Amino acid sequence: MSHDLINPATGAVFTSVQHVDAAAVDDAVRRAQAAQRRWARVAPAERAAALRAFAASVDAHIGELAALEVTNAGHPVSAAEWEAGHVRDVLQFYAGSPERLAGKQIPVASGLDVTFHEPLGVVGVITPWNFPMPIAVWGFAPALAAGNAVLIKPAEWTPLTTLRLGELAAESGLDPDLLQVLPGAGAVVGERLITHPGVAKIVFTGSTVTGKHVLATAAAQVKRVTLELGGKSANIVFDDCDLEQAAATAPYGVFDNAGQDCCARSRILVQRNVYDRFMELLEPAVAGVTVGDPASRDTEMGPLVSRPHWEKVASYVPDDAPVAFRGTAPTGDGFWFPPTVLTPNRTDRSVTEEIFGPVVTVLPFDDEADAIALANDTAYGLSGSIWTENLSRGLRVSRAVEAGNLSVNSHSSVRYTTPFGGFKQSGLGRELGPDAPLAFTETKNVFIAVKEM
Ligand code: ADP
């Protein structure tokens, strides 16, 4: 079945992709199993070299990959180039893993006891539309490094860069059956990956609703899962911080990728005694966000990904919404939405639900305890920022906020060298960091009895 793809900046169909069906998934699993058995026997240094060759192939196609993401997902070209470069960097990072994935030798009275990190087999990676390239590589690079085969199902709206990465892997010399891209519907291809007994693990990134379904379905086979789900992260601004910097960077913290970011700091919490001043500083910062043609190098924020998603985001800003101020956005065709700042009450659905668009709420708080309680008053727990010049407070609040990735005086969330993942309903397990390949292995213990002479 052919599926139309729409350029979010124009609203027009620009190409279509062929969706695969459940039978094609079954066939892909069979080929992946055979490829994985061969790959697991490849010497660690050779596996490392294969991943480096794949990284080099990505490096040679940064511009092409970025251009695809500009058209398919509406990402600003500078961001899309960063994302393609990130794929190369993550591949290079995990190319160091095959030769370092060492087990342990455990002391015993007589004999030898050792652990091995055995690959799981075939891994299914189901990705969302917001960051197609980074989220795909966070799954496939450590999984391949640990000796697995990978089947990736990209989101229906944004499959093009993932399909191209699959081709680049094969062009770089990787067995094409080792990394297969399966474009298709979640309910068909995604569902078959979760239910197929030959798929040992699912790495799913997407909405919490679908994530719960993945977890429940995978439970039937005790299938391993890693889940990266929604977020409603706080950006906590204390009165002792560099207020100018906190206000100047807050738009980036939430409007990057048009707010379609599970790490978006979509709730700004500001200490009451600096609230008015912060809002005075935030208004020009929001007005200064350059929203427009994603192909332009000046653009900081592009359109939303699709019409249905635009409608969902717009539902959080009805005519009587408490809008403090807005930035600008193009009018006309395309799924444009201006950066929008709301000042609702604490129980409004714009404060409690993930919007996944360029809409931020600002709430005042009284003291540190109030800030922590507000930050934690959510089912999510992915990331967050704390602005303070008092580093004791910065560390204390970081430890108290129930989230997986916090930053003090920064909005940094994702570095491939550090673990990434959520508390509570933001997810299960961690991606990235040096230990990520371990999540694609089973630990096996072998005891060898030694006969006494
Ligand atoms: P969104 O609502 O933002 O599109 P989803 O969580 O539904 O997010 O989608 C994330 C990924 O999960 C997409 O690749 C989608 O096709 C896939 N997906 C959706 N439904 C299912 C399902 N029942 N089983 C497996 N994957 C699914």
Side-chain angles (χ1 to χ4, degrees):
M1 198 181 68
S2 164
H3 183 81
D4 286 343
L5 298 180
I6 294 169
N7 180 338
T10 63
V13 172
F14 70 98
T15 190
S16 62
V17 286
Q18 206 59 34
H19 275 186
V20 305
D21 59 14
V25 177
D26 294 352
D27 183 50
V29 173
R30 268 191 298 277
R31 286 186 283 119
Q33 284 172 322
Q36 191 272 331
R37 283 192 285 274
R38 296 190 292 272
W39 179 240
R41 287 196 296 272
V42 169
E46 262 182 70
R47 258 196 256 154
L51 291 177
R52 286 197 192 98
F54 184 8
S57 166
V58 172
D59 188 53
H61 295 85
I62 300 281
E64 183 196 339
L65 289 162
L68 284 175
E69 212 66 292
V70 168
T71 312
N72 193 183
H75 288 197
V77 62
S78 51
E81 284 170 355
W82 181 90
E83 289 159 21
H86 180 75
V87 174
R88 170 203 56 214
D89 295 346
V90 173
L91 279 166
Q92 276 170 352
F93 182 66
Y94 289 112
S97 300
E99 292 170 289
R100 294 197 180 97
L101 211 59
K104 286 197 173 105
Q105 179 259 315
I106 292 155
V108 285
S110 168
L112 178 67
D113 196 292
V114 285
T115 63
F116 295 89
H117 297 299
E118 306 283 16
L120 296 174
V122 178
V123 173
V125 177
I126 300 174
T127 61
W129 46 259
N130 63 329
F131 287 112
M133 284 191 277
I135 293 172
V137 77
W138 300 351
F140 70 67
L144 290 170
N148 300 279
V150 179
L151 304 177
I152 313 183
K153 195 212 84 68
E156 289 87 326
W157 291 332
T158 56
L160 293 187
T161 48
T162 314
L163 284 162
R164 189 70 186 114
L165 287 173
E167 290 170 3
L168 292 174
E171 285 168 23
S172 75
L174 205 70
D175 182 338
D177 291 342
L178 212 46
L179 180 65
Q180 300 178 53
V181 183
L182 305 170
V188 178
V189 177
E191 196 70 22
R192 188 65 190 133
L193 286 173
I194 309 168
T195 53
H196 197 300
V199 176
K201 172 165 184 160
I202 294 287
V203 180
F204 171 85
T205 305
S207 63
T208 294
V209 171
T210 308
K212 287 177 182 173
H213 169 75
V214 172
L215 183 60
T217 310
Q221 295 168 12
V222 198
K223 189 165 291 192
R224 278 74 181 128
V225 286
T226 295
L227 304 174
E228 301 290 355
L229 309 176
K232 192 70 187 175
S233 298
N235 178 7
I236 308 174
V237 180
F238 284 103
D239 62 0
D240 64 358
C241 79
D242 179 340
L243 207 62
E244 278 75 16
Q245 201 197 352
T249 59
Y252 169 77
V254 60
F255 301 141
D256 191 44
N257 205 32
Q260 302 166 126
D261 180 350
C262 41
C263 291
R265 274 65 168 169
S266 54
R267 294 182 296 149
I268 304 179
L269 312 177
V270 187
Q271 197 151 13
R272 202 176 293 279
N273 56 337
V274 292
Y275 179 89
D276 290 343
R277 177 71 188 132
F278 179 83
M279 292 300 270
E280 275 170 28
L281 292 166
L282 184 63
E283 185 163 3
V286 170
V289 177
T290 310
V291 184
D293 178 6
S296 160
R297 293 217 163 258
D298 296 332
T299 295
E300 294 170 303
M301 193 182 114
L304 292 173
V305 73
S306 70
R307 173 62 60 195
H309 188 58
W310 187 96
E311 276 160 14
K312 185 201 153 194
V313 173
S315 76
Y316 288 92
V317 192
D319 289 343
D320 60 348
V323 176
F325 39 83
R326 283 191 172 101
T328 57
T331 51
D333 295 339
F335 313 129
W336 304 104
F337 204 97
T340 302
V341 177
L342 303 179
T343 50
N345 61 50
R346 290 182 175 198
T347 55
D348 194 86
R349 72 184 264 268
S350 63
V351 177
T352 58
E353 296 174 14
E354 183 179 43
I355 301 174
F356 222 61
V359 179
V360 67
T361 60
V362 191
L363 296 179
F365 69 82
D366 295 318
D367 55 19
E368 197 175 302
D370 190 29
I372 293 166
L374 261 177
N376 288 339
D377 187 18
T378 167
Y380 296 113
L382 191 51
S383 59
S385 303
I386 297 138
W387 292 83
T388 175
E389 290 296 294
N390 175 346
L391 290 189
S392 293
R393 166 183 272 170
L395 190 54
R396 200 165 55 231
V397 176
S398 298
R399 297 299 300 270
V401 173
E402 297 156 354
N405 294 81
L406 292 155
S407 48
V408 177
N409 297 331
S410 155
H411 292 304
S412 163
S413 295
V414 173
R415 290 170 307 278
Y416 56 81
T417 50
T418 58
F420 174 72
F423 279 35
K424 304 196 282 191
Q425 293 188 26
S426 283
L428 195 62
R430 291 292 177 273
E431 297 192 273
L432 299 176
D435 294 337
L438 287 177
F440 296 99
T441 66
E442 294 286 7
T443 301
K444 178 182 286 171
N445 194 82
V446 175
F447 171 69
I448 304 172
V450 172
K451 282 190 182 135
E452 299 299 330
M453 295 284 282

